[in-house]
Amino acid sequence: MIHHDSEHRLWVLSGPSSSYVLHLDEADRPRVLHWGPRLSPEQAASLPLRLPRPGFRPVEDPLEGSFDLISTGGLCYGQVGLQVRFADGTRDLELVFTGQRRTDRELVLAYADRHYPLAVECHYRLYGDVIERHLVLRNEGEPVTVVRADSATWVLPRLNGYRLSSVRGQWGAETRLHRTELPYGETVLTSRRGVTSHQANPWAMVDDGTAGEEYGAVYSCALAWSGSWRLTAQRLPTERVTLSAGAGHDPVTQELDTGEELVTPVCAGLYTEGGFGAASRAWHDHQLRHVLPHPGEIRPVLYNSWEATGFDVSLDGQIRLAESAARMGVELFVVDDGWFGARTHDAAGLGDWYPNPHRFPEGLGPLIDRVHELGMRFGLWVEPEMVNPDSDLYRAHPDWVIHRPHRTRTEHRNQLVLDLSRPEVGDWLYRTLDELLAKNAIDFLKWDMNRPFTEAGPDERLWLGHVHTLYDVLDRLRAAHPHVRIESCSSGGGRVDLGILRRTDQVWTSDNTDALDRLDIQHGFSQLYPARVMGAWVTDSPNPYTGREIPLDFRFHVAMAGVLAIGGALTEWSRADLDRAAELIADYKRIRPLVQHGRQYRLRPPDGELSAVQYLASDGTEAAVLVYRRARRFGHADPGIPLRALDPDARYRDVSTGEVHHGAVLLAHGLFPDLAPGDYAGALVHLVREQA
Ligand code: GLA
């Protein structure tokens, strides 16, 4: 609901439990008076419009850090969300309010520069308590350079302290949760790689330093963009804190010609109470309702051939794997790299998207037919934004890659990035994939992107244009082939964000499939993103990446916390393991509506001996609890694991043991699952509420 109070020049944007209150001051600057618990319009109108006067004459603007649109100019010297350079070199923007458009859920506040014909619109859209914000810039004057156009600048109220939560990572070790006091100055989270990145992810949460998993207020924001980005958490010496995020990184600028318009991606902001757990659940809920293209779907159990066969792909080999997978209960069989062009290793073939004629002399048809006959859907790996110099595509179009004259074409994994901002490359990309999907009965694409940009230069057309073309091609392919589902992959979890999730159905979380490492990766992933999109494979032991040996059940229990998949060399698995895997897949299918569509409670983080996560059906009738004990020290007894959000007056039956527990006891004392005595002991407990 959006309320306007013209007398006080106030706008009150309210979700079910929070409000965001904006006030336009005498200089037409949008000041955030409140972001926090819900206020009625009357309560909002009583907020003080002026700050208490400092007892001395300030040397800077005392309101700095309280505007939701901050542009260069006046006595503000901190972080600037909107920076332009006019043709005559003027850098200050002086915006005057020119009007508003408003519905129940949408608000547009329009401004224009006092002198130069540049219009700036701030768009707000409410989804429950989530506020989506973006900017639209329209230039009617001489060309303008846009130095920075953050989608949103979120203003926090004064708190007793400030703590920043975010994720850091690297290839094979993505989304490691990092929680630290927010230092004074500017903390910049960024990707300069042309892709979302493994190193950082475009979201942040701030609390006052006392929030826990289940209590405390949390302010968070997330940017919907899959290219380079920058998120600045600023803490001014005056204790004002802002989170400002947008596409692009320093020093990338954008030219806005006469008559041109710039629409930024969306940055969403959210205020929640109830700790980090409640913040995560609100973000999950938002994505399940408003971001994902097919939110109601249950993701199938997938098999992926990469770890089993690498580049050694053959029709017979894939059929053998498919037969084993189908017997286990797999529902979607995905052929990874190595099926196309001259791709028998990683130095050739990228760009030539036709089946390797030696490996598939009759095309993919016989394999796809067999997979379908086995009752599974068929998926295929592609990496369409890339080219190996040793490919027909590169030989025909060496100028299609991102490059600069007089500079080295830096290769990574023997490949270069296609410049999707060139219209002919975008056209080729769409035509090639459209044809692949039209000629073959493909149900699923794993869309990979294995290297960042180099030699791209400061030209914004390329940095931003690449992502716009990518989004456009994905949107058009989905429209033309509505049954096809897509997985976003970038050497594992290098492209996970709210922008790509609007157009894909799940993501590949990490190339690292070691179950122990995965506990940390999944814990960080879950802070913002739902289990419904988190691809998780069970692979071989010892793990090919870490060499660690982990029992089959534990590997399964870890992967069951997301979209369960199998990625092992099944032809080498023992009969006993194959049979046990089939049982565990059947267990997963029973709980997956809870995992994929229920509410997630992180019961114990994976930083001690024992960790656990609970999924609760939205109507509260069923819960699944996954418990992991990595090792037990001598003399330690496993503690009980108190559950969350159950009905204390209800009874819950354990589906496998038949034991009946009281809700009140589960909430207060918890579950004591029967874990095996050794290391890597896991359990799945499925509870069903008894009829009253
Ligand atoms: C990337 C992906 C892997 C696999 C390989 C294939 O590394 O993350 O899952 O698809 O490429 O080359």
Side-chain angles (χ1 to χ4, degrees):
M1 179 194 104
I2 298 175
H3 173 83
H4 175 51
D5 172 343
S6 54
E7 188 195 335
H8 297 97
R9 301 182 96 198
L10 280 188
W11 286 267
V12 186
L13 287 71
S14 291
S17 42
S18 68
S19 292
Y20 181 81
V21 183
L22 263 180
H23 161 63
L24 220 53
D25 72 7
E26 317 80 62
D28 280 1
R29 297 175 305 177
R31 243 185 88 202
V32 179
L33 296 190
H34 172 85
W35 188 26
R38 189 184 159 104
L39 296 181
S40 68
E42 192 192 335
Q43 291 162 342
S46 72
L47 291 167
L49 297 185
R50 293 188 195 290
L51 287 181
R53 286 197 173 281
F56 53 91
R57 187 191 162 103
V59 290
E60 66 250 308
D61 189 330
L63 293 178
E64 174 152 31
S66 64
F67 303 112
D68 94 333
L69 177 68
I70 168 89
S71 48
T72 327
L75 291 166
C76 290
Y77 300 95
Q79 199 269 337
V80 172
L82 177 62
Q83 274 180 64
V84 300
R85 207 158 45 225
F86 292 104
D88 64 5
T90 299
R91 302 169 70 101
D92 307 271
L93 255 179
E94 291 187 15
L95 295 177
V96 289
F97 181 63
T98 55
Q100 59 165 310
R101 301 196 295 280
R102 190 158 40 90
T103 65
D104 240 19
R105 288 177 53 200
E106 276 189 69
L107 172 67
V108 180
L109 298 182
Y111 307 85
D113 188 83
R114 210 179 277 287
H115 172 76
Y116 301 91
L118 178 72
V120 178
E121 284 182 357
C122 294
H123 289 241
Y124 307 80
R125 197 182 159 91
L126 271 177
Y127 294 93
D129 288 307
V130 172
I131 306 171
E132 282 194 353
R133 221 306 273 268
H134 73 273
L135 299 183
V136 177
L137 270 58
R138 212 166 289 120
N139 178 30
E140 297 300 344
E142 285 184 61
V144 170
T145 304
V146 180
V147 178
R148 187 77 208 150
D150 278 354
S151 305
T153 300
W154 302 101
V155 176
L156 272 69
R158 283 287 290 268
L159 303 176
N160 289 332
Y162 298 96
R163 182 171 56 169
L164 177 69
S165 300
S166 61
V167 285
R168 63 177 169 81
Q170 53 179 305
W171 174 76
E174 297 87 338
T175 54
R176 302 297 174 109
L177 179 61
H178 183 58
R179 204 158 265 163
T180 180
E181 186 185 349
L182 180 64
Y184 291 97
E186 291 166 31
T187 301
V188 175
L189 309 175
T190 189
S191 161
R192 302 189 175 98
R193 294 162 193 262
V195 68
T196 323
S197 94
H198 300 84
Q199 286 69 19
N201 198 268
W203 64 262
M205 297 189 186
V206 173
D207 73 297
D208 69 359
T210 65
E213 189 60 26
E214 298 296 329
Y215 53 86
V218 176
Y219 300 82
S220 42
C221 73
L223 180 71
W225 185 246
S226 313
S228 292
W229 54 273
R230 194 181 77 183
L231 189 159
T232 308
Q234 173 179 251
R235 181 172 182 178
L236 291 171
T238 52
E239 295 296 358
R240 288 191 175 280
V241 166
T242 51
L243 294 172
S244 193
H249 65 269
D250 302 339
V252 174
T253 58
Q254 309 182 60
E255 292 304 312
L256 211 54
D257 276 341
T258 315
E260 262 191 347
E261 189 174 271
L262 168 75
V263 181
T264 72
V266 159
C267 179
L270 172 67
Y271 166 81
T272 43
E273 286 165 27
F276 297 109
S280 299
R281 285 186 289 280
W283 281 111
H284 299 169
D285 188 55
H286 176 63
Q287 290 163 77
L288 287 172
R289 281 166 191 251
H290 304 296
V291 176
L292 292 171
H294 301 285
E297 281 185 5
I298 288 279
R299 299 302 312 140
V301 176
L302 170 162
Y303 177 83
N304 180 294
S305 65
W306 173 243
E307 286 195 23
T309 53
F311 291 102
D312 200 6
V313 173
S314 69
L315 176 62
D316 289 351
Q318 294 295 313
I319 288 180
R320 268 198 305 280
L321 285 170
E323 288 171 346
S324 277
R327 271 196 297 274
M328 287 168 116
V330 166
E331 298 157 312
L332 164 62
F333 182 83
V334 183
V335 177
D336 210 277
D337 204 345
W339 61 268
F340 55 94
R343 186 76 168 173
T344 50
H345 47 76
D346 69 7
L350 276 180
D352 301 338
W353 299 107
Y354 53 84
N356 179 314
H358 306 292
R359 295 179 164 188
F360 297 97
E362 293 170 57
L364 293 172
L367 175 58
I368 298 180
D369 290 348
R370 182 69 187 126
V371 167
H372 283 160
E373 236 171 64
L374 289 164
M376 297 184 291
R377 283 176 249 177
F378 180 81
L380 196 63
W381 179 93
V382 288
E383 196 184 358
E385 298 152 77
M386 298 291 158
V387 65
N388 286 123
D390 183 3
S391 67
D392 296 342
L393 183 71
Y394 188 77
R395 281 182 283 274
H397 301 287
D399 56 325
W400 276 15
V401 297
I402 296 180
H403 68 284
R404 308 285 299 169
H406 325 299
R407 296 292 95 179
T408 309
R409 296 181 179 202
T410 303
E411 290 182 24
H412 176 67
R413 212 189 184 207
N414 308 302
Q415 62 195 62
L416 297 165
V417 187
L418 290 172
D419 180 354
L420 298 199
S421 67
R422 294 172 66 140
E424 67 276 29
V425 182
D427 289 347
W428 168 86
L429 184 67
Y430 177 75
R431 262 188 291 111
T432 306
L433 292 171
D434 178 53
E435 200 181 303
L436 186 68
L437 294 175
K439 283 196 177 152
N440 298 282
I442 294 168
D443 308 296
F444 180 89
L445 285 179
K446 174 177 172 184
W447 184 303
D448 207 342
M449 197 284 190
N450 275 317
R451 61 151 294 175
F453 295 9
T454 49
E455 294 87 39
D459 184 351
E460 85 291 339
R461 182 192 54 82
L462 188 153
W463 290 96
L464 303 175
H466 188 97
V467 183
H468 285 305
T469 306
L470 168 74
Y471 285 173
D472 179 59
V473 169
L474 284 168
D475 291 345
R476 285 163 66 202
L477 286 174
R478 296 195 81 102
H481 306 277
H483 67 284
V484 173
R485 299 291 175 264
I486 302 177
E487 177 174 57
S488 167
C489 172
S490 176
S491 289
R495 188 149 68 191
V496 182
D497 56 78
L498 297 185
I500 205 72
L501 285 174
R502 211 170 266 290
R503 356 189 107 74
T504 53
D505 301 279
Q506 62 186 74
V507 299
W508 181 219
T509 315
S510 176
D511 276 344
N512 182 348
T513 54
D514 176 299
L516 185 63
D517 284 353
R518 271 292 175 129
L519 286 177
D520 291 324
I521 295 171
Q522 295 182 174
H523 181 67
F525 186 95
S526 76
Q527 302 294 318
L528 204 91
Y529 303 110
R532 157 70 175 68
V533 302
M534 187 180 76
W537 304 350
V538 174
T539 59
D540 299 339
S541 179
N543 184 276
Y545 290 92
T546 62
R548 202 179 338 255
E549 292 187 47
I550 295 187
L552 187 75
D553 278 44
F554 193 88
R555 280 179 272 147
F556 262 95
H557 288 139
V558 172
M560 283 184 190
V563 177
L564 175 68
I566 316 296
L570 297 184
T571 44
E572 327 253 300
W573 284 22
S574 67
R575 186 74 265 151
D577 276 0
L578 291 169
D579 291 347
R580 180 66 187 137
E583 286 170 12
L584 289 160
I585 289 176
D587 287 348
Y588 175 71
K589 286 180 182 168
R590 279 189 286 275
I591 59 151
R592 88 176 142 181
L594 309 175
V595 174
Q596 297 189 12
H597 293 278
R599 275 175 284 139
Q600 185 180 146
Y601 296 82
R602 292 178 295 253
L603 302 178
R604 290 176 72 99
D607 51 12
E609 290 176 14
L610 192 75
S611 61
V613 56
Q614 171 191 337
Y615 303 87
L616 184 68
S618 39
D619 64 2
T621 52
E622 285 184 62
V625 183
L626 288 161
V627 181
Y628 313 106
R629 190 186 61 219
R630 24 176 108 179
R632 184 166 55 181
R633 290 196 187 83
F634 180 77
H636 276 216
D638 293 331
I641 303 162
L643 304 191
R644 305 268 186 241
L646 300 183
D647 176 354
D649 297 325
R651 292 161 194 242
Y652 296 85
R653 188 172 39 82
D654 181 325
V655 171
S656 40
T657 63
E659 207 178 330
V660 175
H661 302 273
H662 286 274
V665 176
L666 289 173
L667 288 166
H669 295 271
L671 271 180
F672 291 85
D674 187 19
L675 298 176
D679 293 350
Y680 301 120
L684 159 64
V685 181
H686 182 187
L687 299 169
V688 177
R689 187 185 166 137
E690 299 254 272
Q691 301 292 355

